[in-house]
Amino acid sequence: MSEIPERAGTRQWLGLTVLLLPTVLLFLSMTVLFLATPYIAADLAPTSGQLLWINDIYGFVMAGFLVTMGTLGDRLGRRRLLLAGAALFGISSVLAAFAPGPDLLIAARALMGLGAAAVMPATLSLITTMFRGDRQRATAIGLWAASVSAGVALGPLLGGLLLDSLWWGASMLIGVPVMLVVVLAVPALIPEYRAPQAGRLDPISVGLSLAALLPFVYGVKKLAETGFAAESVLTLLAGVVFAVVFVRRQLRLTDPLLDVRLFANRTFSGSLGVYMLAAIALGGVYLLFTQYLQLVAAQSPLRAGLWILPAAIALVVVSTVTPAIARRVRPASVIASGLALSTVGYLALTQVDSVAGLPVLIVGFYILYPGIAPAMALIPGLVIGAAPAEKAGAASAVNSTASDLGVALGVALLGSVGAAIYRADMSDADGTAAETLPGALSSAESLPADVADSLVLAAREAFTNGLNAAAWTAAVLSAAAAVLAVAMLRRIPAGATAVPETEGAVGVPVDDNVVERGTVSA
C-alpha cells in the first residue's frame, strides 16, 4: 500500500497533468461541435429538433449520469471507472465521426456523454486524494478549473482548424489520441482509491434520477419550441414528480445515491445555483454566437475560431489568476463582479443586427466571456470545501452536474428560443428554409438570384432576432447569478477558495494495481 506524501512530488504533478487532459477534452467536446453544426446540417440534413439534440445530447447524458458514476467510482474504484469511461469515450468518438445519419450521430454522442460522465467526477475527486496539503490542493483545483475553461474556449478554434482542411467528423476524433494517453499513463501515475465503508448502489435511485432529469429537460425543449402545449407541460410535471420521489427516497436511505442534505449548506447550494445560472446563459449564447459568425457574418470555420481566440486566452488567464485574487478579496465579490461584466456583454449582443453586426458581436463576446471565469475557477473549490471530506467524490459529481447540465440546458433553452423566433419570422417560407438558417441558405442555391437574395436576407435577419432574444435571456440569468453570489456567498472570507484541511486524510490511496478500502478520519 502506497502513501501520498503531505507535499506533492513529481509523480503527483505528472498525474495531475494527465488528469487535466481528459478534463480539457470533455468540455472541448461540448463546444467543438458548434462550428461544425452548419456542415452537419448540410451533410446529414437533420431537422431543427435533431440538430439541437446533436448539440446537446452529449451534455444531457453526461449530466444525467454524473452522480451515479461518482457513486460507482467511490464503490468500485475511481481510477478503474476513469479508465473504463476513457475507453468508452474513445470508441464512441469514432462512431460519431463516421455516423451516416443524424439518428446514429445522436446515439454516438449519447455514448460519448456516458463515457464523459464516468471520467469527469473521477478527475476532480482523484485530485483531492492526490494532494494532501491545503495550498497545493488549491493550486491543483485552480489548474483543473483553468483546464475546464481551456476546453470550453478551445473547442471552436480546434474545430475551425479541422473543418478548414478536413470534414466535420474530424472534430469528433480529437478524443481518440487523448483518451489513449489516459488509458496508458493513468495506471502508472495515479493510485487507485476506493471510499471506506461504501454502501451498495441503489438501482431504484439511479432510475429515479434519470426519470427526473430526462423528462424535465425534454419538457424545457418542447416548451421553448411549442409553448404551453400538453406534451411540454406533462413532461415537465413528470420530471418534477420524479424529482420529489427521488429526494424523499434519498432522505430515507442509509447510503443514498446523493446526500441531498448537503444542499442545506448555504455555500454548497449557493455555489451550485450560481454555477448553473451562469452556465445556462453561456451555453445557449455560445452556440448562437458561433453560428452567427459562419452563417450571418460568412466567416470560414478557421476565421471564426480565430475571432474566438483572444477571448479564449483571456478566459484561461482570468481563471488562472482568480484564486490568487480571491486570497485577498471575498469570493462573492470576485464572482459577482465577473458575472456583472458578463451581463454587460450579453446586453451588447442584444444590439447586434444582421447586416453589419460583427463588430458589436465581437466586442460583446470579448466582454462576457472572461466574466464567467471567476465562477469557473472558484466554485469547484467552494463546493468540495463545503462538503465533508468523506463525501468529496459526491460533491465533485454534483459540481460537474451543475456545470454540464447548465451548459446543456442553455443550448436547449436559449437555442430553442432562437429557433422559435426564427420559425415565427420565417413562417411564410417553404420547406427547410422555414426550419433553420442552414436550410434557407441551401434552398437559396437553387433559386433565381433576386429571390435567393431576398430569402437569405430574411433568414439572416430572423436568425439575428433569435440571437438578440437569447442574449436578453442570458443577461437576465447572468445578473441573477451575480445577485445570488452576493446573497449566498458573502459570508465566505477571503482566502477560503480551497478545500480546507481536515483532521486525517481524505482517503488513503491503495496500491497502484490493487483496489482496497481506504480510511477516513472524522
Side-chain angles (χ1 to χ4, degrees):
M1 180 176 295
S2 59
E3 292 282 348
I4 292 290
E6 287 295 329
R7 183 167 183 80
T10 302
R11 183 180 179 187
Q12 284 72 46
W13 290 109
L14 287 174
L16 173 65
T17 302
V18 173
L19 289 178
L20 296 184
L21 291 176
T23 304
V24 172
L25 173 66
L26 299 186
F27 283 88
L28 183 151
S29 295
M30 297 186 75
T31 58
V32 70
L33 210 60
F34 288 172
L35 286 181
T37 297
Y39 294 84
I40 293 173
D43 189 25
L44 302 183
T47 65
S48 60
Q50 287 175 321
L51 198 60
L52 281 175
W53 278 116
I54 289 170
N55 275 287
D56 59 33
I57 190 64
Y58 170 85
F60 285 146
V61 172
M62 181 178 175
F65 280 92
L66 274 169
V67 173
T68 299
M69 292 299 184
T71 305
L72 277 176
D74 287 340
R75 287 159 170 75
L76 303 179
R78 293 171 184 169
R79 188 182 71 178
R80 178 180 294 174
L81 198 66
L82 170 65
L83 294 173
L88 176 60
F89 189 96
I91 294 170
S92 54
S93 296
V94 176
L95 296 177
F98 297 99
D103 290 336
L104 289 178
L105 179 56
I106 292 170
R109 290 277 292 171
L111 287 176
M112 290 173 66
L114 186 61
V119 171
M120 181 52 63
T123 59
L124 187 54
S125 58
L126 282 170
I127 287 172
T128 64
T129 302
M130 293 163 56
F131 292 87
R132 300 279 293 278
D134 182 65
R135 199 171 181 88
Q136 285 192 321
R137 191 185 295 126
T139 300
I141 291 177
L143 290 172
W144 181 89
S147 71
V148 172
S149 304
V152 172
L154 293 176
L157 178 61
L158 289 179
L161 289 171
L162 292 171
L163 290 167
D164 197 55
S165 55
L166 300 171
W167 91 113
W168 62 263
S171 63
M172 303 289 178
L173 296 176
I174 298 172
V176 176
V178 172
M179 289 308 188
L180 182 61
V181 170
V182 171
V183 170
L184 294 176
V186 162
L189 294 173
I190 299 172
E192 181 60 281
Y193 174 86
R194 183 176 177 183
Q197 300 176 345
R200 68 181 183 84
L201 184 68
D202 180 37
I204 296 177
S205 294
V206 174
L208 286 173
S209 68
L210 296 176
L213 176 67
L214 297 180
F216 182 80
V217 171
Y218 180 80
V220 169
K221 287 172 58 67
K222 298 303 293 184
L223 185 65
E225 292 175 7
T226 63
F228 288 93
E231 182 182 8
S232 58
V233 173
L234 289 176
T235 50
L236 280 170
L237 289 176
V240 172
V241 168
F242 280 116
V244 171
V245 175
F246 173 79
V247 170
R248 291 174 64 87
R249 182 172 181 82
Q250 302 316 293
L251 292 171
R252 293 196 307 268
L253 292 175
T254 304
D255 297 303
L257 179 69
L258 173 63
D259 187 356
V260 295
R261 294 178 181 86
L262 288 173
F263 289 92
N265 183 294
R266 187 182 183 91
T267 299
F268 187 87
S269 57
S271 297
L272 292 173
V274 171
Y275 213 9
M276 178 166 282
L277 287 175
I280 291 172
L282 180 63
V285 168
Y286 204 112
L287 171 63
L288 297 173
F289 167 80
T290 54
Q291 289 181 314
Y292 182 101
L293 285 175
Q294 295 179 89
L295 302 177
V296 179
Q299 302 293 299
S300 69
L302 180 57
R303 287 183 63 85
L306 291 174
W307 276 119
I308 294 169
L309 183 59
I313 294 172
L315 181 73
V316 174
V317 170
V318 175
S319 296
T320 303
V321 303
T322 292
I325 296 173
R327 284 198 285 268
R328 296 171 177 83
V329 183
R330 289 178 179 270
S333 299
V334 179
I335 294 170
S337 298
L339 293 171
L341 187 66
S342 289
T343 302
V344 173
Y346 290 125
L347 290 175
L349 295 190
T350 66
Q351 304 305 307
V352 173
D353 64 51
S354 61
V355 179
L358 183 59
V360 177
L361 181 86
I362 295 300
V363 170
F365 186 72
Y366 284 6
I367 294 172
L368 74 90
Y369 205 38
I372 198 176
M376 297 177 71
L378 297 180
I379 285 178
L382 293 174
V383 170
I384 296 176
E390 65 272 15
K391 295 178 181 177
S396 68
V398 174
N399 172 79
S400 297
T401 299
S403 173
D404 302 341
L405 181 58
V407 171
L409 279 173
V411 171
L413 180 59
L414 274 67
S416 296
V417 167
I421 290 178
Y422 177 88
R423 286 195 299 272
D425 288 354
M426 295 292 291
S427 58
D428 294 335
D430 297 324
T432 58
E435 284 284 325
T436 65
L437 178 53
L441 297 177
S442 177
S443 298
E445 294 176 357
S446 59
L447 296 174
D450 56 339
V451 179
D453 290 343
S454 297
L455 176 62
V456 169
L457 286 173
R460 285 175 170 167
E461 182 177 358
F463 180 89
T464 304
N465 291 339
L467 169 64
N468 297 151
W472 277 114
T473 307
V476 172
L477 292 171
S478 183
V483 172
L484 184 63
V486 174
M488 299 293 286
L489 307 178
R490 66 181 183 275
R491 298 178 183 175
I492 303 172
T497 58
V499 181
E501 286 290 351
T502 58
E503 297 178 8
V506 171
V508 177
V510 301
D511 182 78
D512 291 350
N513 298 306
V514 179
V515 179
E516 299 174 359
R517 294 195 181 277
T519 59
V520 174
S521 300

